[in-house]
Amino acid sequence: MSPLRSTLLLTAMILAGEDFAEAQQSKANYDEARVGSYTLPEALVLADGSAVKTAGDWTQRRRPEVLKLYQDHVYGRVPVGLGAPAFQVKAVKKDALGGKATRKLIQITLPSCPAWEGIELMLYTPNAATGPVPCVAGLSFGGNHAVSPETDIPLSTRWMRPNKEKGIVDNRATEASRGNESSRWPLALILDQGFAVATAYYGDIEPDHAEGWKTGLRGLTAKDGTATVWNNGDWGAISAWAWGLSRILDCLETETAVDAKRCAVIGHSRLGKTSLWAGAQDERFAFVISNNSGEGGAALMRRNFGETTAVITKAFPHWFTPTYTSYANNEAACPVDQHLLIALAAPRPIYIGSAVEDEWADPKGEFLSGYHASPVYALFDHPGVGTDQQPGIDTPVGGRIGYHVRNGGHDVKDYDWQQYLAFARKNGL
Ligand code: GCU
């Protein structure tokens, strides 16, 4: 096949997944009366039927069981033997953002896999700090040049999803792409509150389309290269992206300006699913934040409201381990539901941010995950969301599990950040 033809086919395929999901949005159920009844898997019962009564029972017995269920049935397992990453500081700017911050660009690579170009990490630390600061780490959709308003950041050269409005031409960023994600990353607001920001482009780890693994970390580290067939339990793209977040945390542990023991992990939408899974697996993340993560993230899969398992596994099969597809229209057979993903963060603080117009992500289902995870937090004497009623718009609730439903649609707003940072401080970060 000619290169042009294969590029066109690939573009058509990627658009087909995104378009399919979008077309389903108008056909989904948004009627609470039609959600139907469901029974959630028990958080506090072990596979052998015995009860989880103490924090120790959870940590030593139930948590490992639930983690394994998520690996086997939802996101898949990171292969062993990838080894430790290496870090190389590429650039340091001490008067970034008008003198407010120091900006470092650091390349994170994997010595066991030289074919993988690695992650370009962008780290901002507040210059006003008098000691190591807490940090918020998260992946972006558009790359560092899209997150930052600063125009001296190298444009990402990686593959990007087609998007004319964001200045993506032939799957590559252009000068017109600069700053197009900056409203979602209010750097000054975050730095002024004494937090560092660590971010990287998710496509550095794997391009986000059904065949992205071939040129991403999953394909490059596979023993049989691009001929790999993914089996049940193998990692999907969300697992690969989450792995990248943990490598960012490895790097932050070597940065003296950052207190890596106070590092939050954040993500929006598909990257919110990713931050939840990263926080579930890597207990070094001290605080887990999900922004509008929806189906496959914070929303209960058994609730038929907004996006469904059938839609997500058809549109984005590469995000999950193949097993997950078998739960399309068959959610009751899945041994987990998403309250258990929230519970995997226990006893660390976790925050679930919804938006009222983002019905596709099922705001109420996101609240209910937090609600049904609360008994696990109670084992640690921590309050969970603290209410069985989804709160009103712009009314944050919660003790150790935070929740709000913001005015507006699917996005990350200053309001969201203000709640996340206040909650972080309240919970000791
Ligand atoms: C689609 C998809 C969602 C996802 C979202 C996003 O809408 O159906 O599951 O969260 O894209 O990542 O923007």
Side-chain angles (χ1 to χ4, degrees), residues 18 21 25 141 269-270 273 293 295 307 312 316 319 360 410:
E18 300 280 348
Q25 294 201 14
F141 287 92
S269 209
R270 66 196 69 185
K273 312 181 206 301
S293 63
E295 189 71 26
E307 190 171 16
I312 204 168
F316 309 104
W319 290 354
W360 183 236
H410 189 67

Side-chain angles (χ1 to χ4, degrees), residues 139-152:
L139 298 172
S140 73
F141 287 92
N144 298 334
H145 64 269
V147 165
S148 176
E150 298 189 295
T151 53
D152 57 343

Side-chain angles (χ1 to χ4, degrees), residues 32-372:
E32 215 36 68
R34 288 179 51 216
V35 164
S37 62
Y38 54 86
T39 307
L40 294 177
E42 296 275 2
L44 298 182
V45 179
L46 287 155
D48 68 7
S50 55
V52 174
K53 292 191 181 128
T54 65
D57 291 344
W58 172 264
T59 306
Q60 283 143 37
R61 302 185 63 196
R62 183 61 173 149
R63 185 179 195 284
E65 264 183 18
V66 173
L67 198 58
K68 185 171 182 309
L69 290 174
Y70 270 97
Q71 290 169 334
D72 291 345
H73 297 269
V74 186
Y75 305 114
R77 183 178 284 98
V78 175
V80 286
L82 295 185
F87 317 118
Q88 193 190 357
V89 177
K90 295 280 193 187
V92 181
K93 184 179 176 188
K94 293 201 167 148
D95 58 349
L97 298 171
K100 193 182 279 301
T102 296
R103 188 186 78 204
K104 274 189 172 183
L105 300 176
I106 307 172
Q107 194 71 18
I108 303 178
T109 52
L110 201 52
S112 70
C113 182
W116 179 56
E117 280 180 59
I119 295 170
E120 284 175 37
L121 174 66
M122 178 169 73
L123 172 65
Y124 282 100
T125 49
N127 285 340
T130 52
V133 294
C135 184
V136 187
L139 298 172
S140 73
F141 287 92
N144 298 334
H145 64 269
V147 165
S148 176
E150 298 189 295
T151 53
D152 57 343
I153 293 164
L155 283 184
S156 170
T157 57
R158 302 297 182 87
W159 185 95
M160 305 229 164
R161 283 193 284 148
N163 191 330
K164 279 202 189 108
E165 281 158 30
K166 296 205 162 157
I168 308 301
V169 176
D170 295 337
N171 301 113
R172 294 288 181 265
T174 64
E175 285 296 323
S177 316
R178 289 196 177 280
N180 69 33
E181 213 173 332
S182 58
S183 70
R184 288 181 173 174
W185 292 87
L187 297 173
L189 182 158
I190 305 167
L191 290 154
D192 282 346
Q193 296 211 25
F195 288 79
V197 180
T199 181
Y201 174 49
Y202 79 139
D204 285 359
I205 305 155
E206 176 166 325
D208 185 7
H209 60 85
E211 307 223 316
W213 61 269
K214 290 186 176 170
T215 55
L217 181 81
R218 281 195 297 148
L220 297 173
T221 54
K223 285 192 183 55
D224 41 5
T226 53
T228 296
V229 170
W230 299 108
N231 296 309
N232 289 344
D234 287 344
W235 56 340
I238 288 177
S239 269
W241 297 324
W243 174 92
L245 285 164
S246 285
R247 302 298 70 79
I248 289 173
L249 184 51
D250 293 344
C251 181
L252 294 173
E253 286 182 333
T254 69
E255 286 294 317
T256 50
V258 171
D259 178 0
K261 291 208 160 45
R262 290 185 287 156
C263 184
V265 62
I266 190 170
H268 169 62
S269 209
R270 66 196 69 185
L271 295 176
K273 312 181 206 301
T274 303
S275 64
L276 286 170
W277 181 226
Q281 296 172 93
D282 192 336
E283 293 180 273
R284 294 174 303 163
F285 285 115
F287 175 28
V288 184
I289 307 166
S290 147
N291 191 85
N292 304 180
S293 63
E295 189 71 26
L300 290 177
M301 74 187 287
R302 281 168 174 73
R303 263 175 63 84
N304 172 27
F305 192 103
E307 190 171 16
T308 61
T309 316
V311 170
I312 204 168
T313 53
K314 187 165 177 202
F316 309 104
H318 59 290
W319 290 354
F320 303 97
T321 201
T323 331
Y324 196 51
T325 305
S326 66
Y327 302 116
N329 302 313
N330 186 28
E331 287 85 350
C334 186
V336 293
D337 207 316
Q338 299 306 83
H339 61 308
L340 295 176
L341 182 64
I342 305 302
L344 286 173
R348 295 162 293 156
I350 185 164
Y351 201 113
I352 303 165
S354 302
V356 71
E357 287 165 21
D358 186 17
E359 292 200 291
W360 183 236
D362 186 10
K364 185 167 181 191
E366 295 189 310
F367 166 77
L368 288 171
S369 277
Y371 171 69
H372 290 293

